[in-house]
Each structure stands twice: as structure tokens, then as C-alpha cells.
Amino acid sequence: MRPQRRSALLDHLVADRAGSSQQAVLGELRRAILDGGVPPGTPIPLAEVAEVFGVSQIPVREALKTLVGEGLVGQRRNAGYTVALLTAQELREMYIVRETLESASLAAAVANATDADRAAVIAANDVLEQAVRDGDGVAYHRGSRAFHAALTRPSRMHRLLHMLEAAWNVTEPVQSMVHVGREDRAQLHADHGAMLAAFLAGDAGRLLATSEEHAARLNAVIATLPTDTGLLA
């Protein structure tokens, strides 16, 4: 009988930082999955995770149930828990959800933006530019999320922003922007530059239009991601 391979998730958990309460276990499991180092489909062995945290299986199971509800973890009868594995169609659908929620917040974000908000968007874009220059897909992926969050945060539409964050989290294990080519990354970043200019100019109509163009380009790029790498079901 072939020995069971150690789950990659275990190497990404930092139990000392998490503590042993159910909320701490939940937070650390969520962080490890969203960090991008644990591929979709990775098994989550209940007993081993409990051992890492020095707790019984009960708080781990409850934490995993919460993550199932958030779309970050999958569960199949008699197969246990795994990091959620999306189909290509499900990934496209979640990008549409993200696009819709973001668009709903942008006009309010432009109207409410303070000097500090505008500075935050500029700083986020600077990080993206450095990632493009360095050819660093991981930094670009993380920076892209930070840029979009900086654009939408000034809307102060907290319930909508919470839903947007949840939708973004569902797609996070795929690490889409890590896997796009340099040329596509540069084109997507050019869109970011146009969005930044519209935001700084206080032109909500232009920001919405450039955001729509960016979403169309992004959806086209996502459609080209390989489906045979294990990232997608």
C-alpha cells in the first residue's frame, strides 16, 4: 500500500501565531489558503491539522465548516476536506461577480475619496509597476488585489465591500495573475494606469468605462489559463 503523502497545507500553518481557539484556528487556516502557497485540491487532513495546533479535531472541523461556507474549502462524503477546486466556468463566474460588485462601488469611491485615499491608490499602483518591471508574478497578483481594494475602499459601502472581499477570496487559491504571461500582465497594468488617472481626476464615468474594459481584458486572459495544471477542476 502506497504511503499517504504529507499535505502541503501543514507546512504553511503557523500554529504559534494562531493560538488554539476555534477563531484562531479558523484565521490561520484561512490565511494559509489565501496566501497562495497551497494549491486547489490540496487535502486538509483533520487529525494532522489538529495536531499542528495542539487541539482536538472539534475546533478544526468547525473552522473547516466555516471555510466551506466561504467557498475556500470543499468537502466530499468519504473523501474529507480539500482546498476548494473550481471549474473553469466557476472561476469565470466568480470574476463576473467581482466585476459587478466592484463597478457598483466605484462611483461612490470617486465621490468620497480623500487625499489619503488617492495617495493609497497611487502607492498601490507603484507596487504594481515594480512587479511588472521585476517580472514578479506573485508580487503582481498580490499587488493587483491591493490596487483594486484601494480603488473601492473609499466607497465606504461596507456590506458591499465585504461581499467583494468574499468573492475575491474564492478565486484566490487559483492565483490567476501568477500564471499569466508578461505581455498580458503589461496590458492589464496599462488598464490600471488608465483607471488610476480617472480616479485621480474624479471622473467616475471614465473610471467605470476603463474598469469595464479592464474586466473584459481580464476575462479574456482568464479564459486562456491552462486547465491541465491541477489549478482548476
Side-chain angles (χ1 to χ4, degrees):
M1 186 176 185
R2 182 179 300 175
Q4 187 174 6
R5 295 176 59 184
R6 175 180 171 86
S7 172
L9 174 69
L10 301 176
D11 296 326
H12 288 79
L13 297 175
V14 184
D16 291 343
R17 181 168 60 200
S20 58
S21 70
Q22 180 181 320
Q23 281 302 115
V25 171
L26 170 62
E28 179 59 11
L29 284 169
R30 185 189 288 119
R31 181 207 62 77
I33 293 171
L34 293 179
D35 196 45
V38 186
T42 298
I44 306 175
L46 200 61
E48 287 89 337
V49 171
E51 184 178 350
V52 168
F53 289 112
V55 299
S56 72
Q57 295 184 25
I58 294 174
V60 177
R61 185 179 292 109
E62 292 304 312
L64 290 173
K65 287 180 180 178
T66 298
L67 294 175
V68 169
E70 293 178 4
L72 290 176
V73 168
Q75 181 184 20
R76 290 192 303 171
R77 183 174 296 179
N78 300 323
Y81 298 93
T82 61
V83 176
L85 190 64
L86 300 176
T87 66
Q89 179 61 32
E90 288 169 338
L91 182 66
R92 287 192 292 271
E93 288 174 2
M94 291 311 302
Y95 269 87
I96 292 172
V97 172
R98 280 173 37 177
E99 168 194 341
T100 302
L101 291 171
E102 180 173 291
S103 294
S105 71
L106 288 178
V110 169
N112 295 337
T114 64
D115 287 343
D117 292 324
R118 285 184 280 271
V121 178
I122 292 171
N125 189 65
D126 289 344
V127 171
L128 280 175
E129 287 187 348
Q130 186 62 53
V132 170
R133 287 194 295 269
D134 294 342
D136 188 337
V138 173
Y140 187 83
H141 179 86
R142 293 175 178 172
S144 180
R145 178 168 185 169
F147 175 80
H148 283 268
L151 279 178
T152 56
R153 193 178 298 116
S155 71
R156 320 289 188 237
M157 300 169 70
H158 300 299
R159 290 183 182 275
L160 185 151
L161 294 175
H162 179 72
M163 290 188 288
L164 177 58
E165 180 181 18
W168 204 298
N169 284 350
V170 172
T171 65
E172 200 66 8
V174 180
Q175 296 281 291
S176 302
M177 292 299 99
V178 176
H179 304 287
V180 304
R182 280 176 176 260
E183 184 176 341
D184 286 330
R185 197 175 294 140
Q187 290 178 339
L188 290 168
H189 185 55
D191 293 340
H192 287 153
M195 294 166 71
L196 172 64
F199 183 83
L200 295 179
D203 190 335
R206 181 153 58 99
L207 176 57
L208 286 166
T210 54
S211 176
E212 185 176 342
E213 291 171 3
H214 175 66
R217 191 188 315 278
L218 181 58
N219 289 335
V221 170
I222 294 303
T224 67
L225 291 178
T227 58
D228 59 352
T229 61
L231 293 173
L232 296 169

